[in-house]
Amino acid sequence: MSKIQRGVSLYSFQEEMFLGQMSVEDVLAFASSIGAKGIEILPEQNMPTFPHIDDAEVARWQEMLARHGAHFTCYDMFLDTKLRKGETLSDAEQVESIRRDLVLCNRLGIRNMRVLIFVRPDILEKCVPYAEELDVHMGVEVHAPWHLEHAWILRTIDVADRLGTKHLGILPDMGVFMKHYPPEFRARFERQGARPEVAQFIVDQHEQKIMCEYTIYEVAVKMGGNKAEIAMAETLRHAPYANPKRIKDYAPWFRHIQAKFYGMTEDCTDPAIAYEDVIPELVKCGWEGTLSSEYEGNRWIQDVMPVDSREQVRRQHVMFERLIARAEAQREIV
Amino acid sequence: MSKIQRGVSLYSFQEEMFLGQMSVEDVLAFASSIGAKGIEILPEQNMPTFPHIDDAEVARWQEMLARHGAHFTCYDMFLDTKLRKGETLSDAEQVESIRRDLVLCNRLGIRNMRVLIFVRPDILEKCVPYAEELDVHMGVEVHAPWHLEHAWILRTIDVADRLGTKHLGILPDMGVFMKHYPPEFRARFERQGARPEVAQFIVDQHEQKIMCEYTIYEVAVKMGGNKAEIAMAETLRHAPYANPKRIKDYAPWFRHIQAKFYGMTEDCTDPAIAYEDVIPELVKCGWEGTLSSEYEGNRWIQDVMPVDSREQVRRQHVMFERLIARAEAQREIV
Amino acid sequence: MFDKYLIDAASLRNTGPADAPTGFAFEARLGYYRGLGLSMIEKLDVSIDGNALPRAAVRFDEGGGPLTLEEMEAAYERRWPFGAPATILVDHAGGFPAGEHELALLQQLRVSYLPFPSINSDAKRVSLSA
Amino acid sequence: MFDKYLIDAASLRNTGPADAPTGFAFEARLGYYRGLGLSMIEKLDVSIDGNALPRAAVRFDEGGGPLTLEEMEAAYERRWPFGAPATILVDHAGGFPAGEHELALLQQLRVSYLPFPSINSDAKRVSLSA
Ligand SMILES: [Mn+2]
Ligand SMILES: [Mn+2]
C-alpha cells in the first residue's frame, strides 16, 4: 500500500459552505465517501467561535470525524499582524498568536500546521520550543509565486537545520507546478472581454515558459491590451512551473501537501497542474503524508455556472488513485 | 591541481576599451599576468570587422594569444532577430545566424559558445547538428532574473537530453547568486537622490530575501519613494539569490561560467555574489571548466570615479585562488 | 472571491418609525474565505445609484450590538465569521428611496499577508417591497 | 552604460562654406557594449538647448558614407563598431549657434533580446572654438 494518503481541505468546499449549502459534516461525509479520510481545516473558516474553542466543541469535532471514519491532517493558521491600524504586532505578540494556534492544534489532535508564507523565519524559530512540546510540525506554505528553491523559503529551512528540529519545515502548495495555463482562467477573462487571439497569445507564452514580465509588457504596451487582457497576463506572475525534480530534495522538510487545483476535466485529468510529474516523484522518494485537495476553481466559474466542488474533488481523487497506482507499479518494476 | 581554471571575459574591460585606454592585447597581457589564461571574447565588441573575419585576422588573434600564453574559452554570441524594423528574423535566418557564429567559433578554435537566454529551444535544436559537427558547446546563459531552475531553462535541457547531445546545455552567469545587495548599486542610487533610510530599507529587504514585488510596492506606494528609490527597488527584480546547492545538479550541462561581479573590496572579497558558497559546490562535484571574470561595475561608478577594471579583476582572482585552494583542501580532508 | 454574494437583497428594510423612517438596513456577508476580526475591516462603503453615503451614517452588527465604523476599528475581540450574515445599518432620512435603485457595498479589509488592502464589492438593483 | 561618453565635445565643427555654414557636425560613439548593425539604430535625436532638431536634418557616417536616418534603417550590411567614433551631420542654417549651448544626443536602439527600446543619451555644454 502506498505511503501517500488522500484527504481534503475544507477550503475546497468554500462556495457551498459560504452559501450554507453544505455543513462541515456534509464535507466530512463526502470526503469519506471517496476515500479521502484526511481532513484539513481552517479554524477561522470552519469554527465560528474561533479563537474560543471549548472542550465540548473539540469533542463535537472528534465525534464527527469518528462518525465518518476520518481524521484531522492539518490546521491552516493565519497571523493577523495588522490587527491594529497603523502598527504591526510585536514579535512577542506574533509568537503568542502562533502558540495559541499550536495549542489548539494539539487539543484537536492535529500534528501539522500550515504557516502562512509571510511569517518571518526568526519568529518561527522562537515558536519551535512550543511546536516540539506540543508535537506539531510547522510547515511554511510554499505558494506561487514563490517556489521550493526561493531564497525566502531556504531561510526557514536553514533555521530548521540549525536547530536540528523536526518540527519546522515547509508545506508545498502544488500550485507552484502549473505546467499549463488553466482553461478556467482563460474562459473567465474572455467573458470579461479578453479577445480570443490575445488570450491565446498569453496561453502560448505560458506554455513556452517565457518570463512573465515579458508577456505582461507585450500585452500591456505593445498589443495595447484591454483591462481583462492585462489582468490575464498578470496572472502569469502567479503561474510558475517549478521543477518537480526538486521534490525529493525537499521531502525531508514536508509532511503534508496542499493539492491545489482549478478544475478537472470529465475524464479526471488536471489540465493545468503537473500531477503527472509530481506524484511519481513523491512515490519514488518514498514520501509519507497526505495529498489534501485544495479546490480553488469556484471563483473562476461562479459568474457563469453553479459550482460543484464535490464533483471536482471527486475527479481529482480518481486521478490521484490512478497516478499513485501507476507510479507504485513503475516503482516495483524498477 | 584543481579542475577549475581561471579566465577573463573581455567584457570586464569594456570601460577602458571603449575609451581606447586598453587594447585587446593589453587585456590579454594583463589577464596572463594574473594567471587568468582563459579568454572569453565578444566578437561583436572585440572584432571591429565582425562578421567578416578573414584568415589573417584569425591568425592575428592566435598569435596574440600565443604571445601571452593564453587561450580562448568562450565566444559570446548575439542574435539580431530584430534586424529589420517591424518583423522578426525567420526561423531559418535565426539558425543561419547561429551557424555563422558556430563556424567562426570553430575557425577561432573556441569550444564554448554563450547563447543569449532569449534564443528559443526549438531554434537551438535545429542548430545541434552544426554544433556537433563543429564541436562547439552551445550554452544558454542563465542570467538573473532567471535562475538554474526556471522552466524556460529546463526546456533547453530537455531538448539536450532528448537529443542525447553533449553540444547543448547552459552557461550560468553567477549574478544569479546575489546573496547581498551590491554596495556599488546602493551608492549610485544615493548619489541620484535615494534617501539613506529608504536605501537601507531596500538593502534590508533584499538581505531577508523578501519577494521583490513586495519591496517595490512598499517603496513606490507606501513610502512614496522618489525616482531613484523606486529605480533602486526595481533592481531587486534582477537580484535573486539562487540556491548554490543546485550547481551539482546542473554541472553536467555546463562547461563555462561567467563570473559576474560588481565590485571587490580591498581585501579581495565580493560583498554581493556568493562565491564563498558557489566555489565549494563546484569543487565538490568535480566540475571542469573556466571561471571567467565578468566585471560589470563600471556603469555603477563611472559617474563619480575613474574605473579600474584591472584592479577589480585582479582582486576577484585573488579571491578565486583563495576559495579554490580552501575548497580543495576541505575536499581532501573529507 | 464571493463578491456577488455580499448583499442579501431580500433583507433590505427601513428602520425607524414606519411612517417616517430614519434609515435602512440589510444583511451582508464578508467576501473573504475565512472570518476576520472587526478591527481589520477598514471600510464598509454603502452607496445608492453610485452616490456614496457618509461613513458616519453606517453602522455594523454581527450580533454583538451595533458599532460605528470608528468603533469597529478598536473591536479587537469581535469577529465577522465566514459566510455569516451581519447587519449593515444606514442612517438615511426617509429610509431607502422608493422604487428600484442600485445598492452597492464595498468592503476594504486589512489582510495581514497582503501588502495592499483586499477589496470586495457587490452592487444589486433592489427595491423595498413595501 | 556609456551615456556620458557619447558626444565628443571637442569634435564640434560647422559644415558648409566657412562664411555661411549650412550645418554642423560632431563625433559620437554608440552607448552600447558591442557594435550594432545600422538598421537597428532607430533614433539619433539631436537637440540644442532642449529643442529637438528635425529627424530629416540628421545624417550619420561611420566611415561608409553619409546616410539619412531613413536610409540607415535599411543599411543591413553596415555596423557601428564598439567604441568607434562616427560622424553625426546636422543641417542647420548658420551652423552651430554662437556661444555656449547644450548639445544633446539620444540614441534609441532596437536590441533583439530586450522587449523595449534601449535608450542612451548624453548632453554637454559646448561651443565652437573658432
Ligand atoms: Mn494553499
Ligand atoms: Mn553574463
Side-chain angles (χ1 to χ4, degrees), chain A residues 98 102 113 115 124 127-128 131 136-140 167-170:
Chain A
I98 296 169
L102 290 167
M113 186 166 84
V115 174
L124 290 173
C127 298
V128 163
V136 177
H137 181 270
M138 300 184 292
V140 172
H167 291 81
L168 177 61
I170 59 176

Side-chain angles (χ1 to χ4, degrees), chain A residues 73-144:
Chain A
T73 55
C74 185
Y75 173 120
D76 288 12
M77 64 83 91
F78 292 86
L79 176 62
D80 288 322
T81 54
K82 299 182 192 166
L83 177 73
R84 294 183 300 272
K85 191 176 178 177
E87 59 173 315
T88 304
L89 285 196
S90 69
D91 288 5
E93 287 174 312
Q94 292 188 38
V95 171
E96 179 49 34
S97 174
I98 296 169
R99 199 181 69 85
R100 174 200 69 188
D101 289 315
L102 290 167
V103 167
L104 190 48
C105 276
N106 178 273
R107 288 177 61 212
L108 290 162
I110 304 180
R111 297 190 55 235
N112 291 296
M113 186 166 84
R114 181 289 306 265
V115 174
L116 280 169
I117 197 164
F118 86 120
V119 180
R120 284 165 29 209
D122 59 307
I123 295 288
L124 290 173
E125 177 166 359
K126 291 190 177 126
C127 298
V128 163
Y130 304 118
E132 291 186 335
E133 188 193 325
L134 297 160
D135 196 18
V136 177
H137 181 270
M138 300 184 292
V140 172
E141 183 180 355
V142 182
H143 191 289

Side-chain angles (χ1 to χ4, degrees), chain B residues 13-56:
Chain B
F13 303 89
Q14 59 180 265
E15 183 88 5
E16 288 87 347
M17 290 195 300
F18 183 93
L19 295 172
Q21 298 164 351
M22 283 180 91
S23 66
V24 289
E25 181 141 19
D26 292 337
V27 172
L28 266 55
F30 172 74
S32 185
S33 79
I34 60 167
K37 308 279 186 174
I39 305 296
E40 177 171 354
I41 57 163
L42 297 79
E44 302 193 31
Q45 177 187 82
N46 314 122
M47 296 179 162
T49 64
F50 182 91
H52 307 292
I53 311 295
D54 62 22
D55 290 345

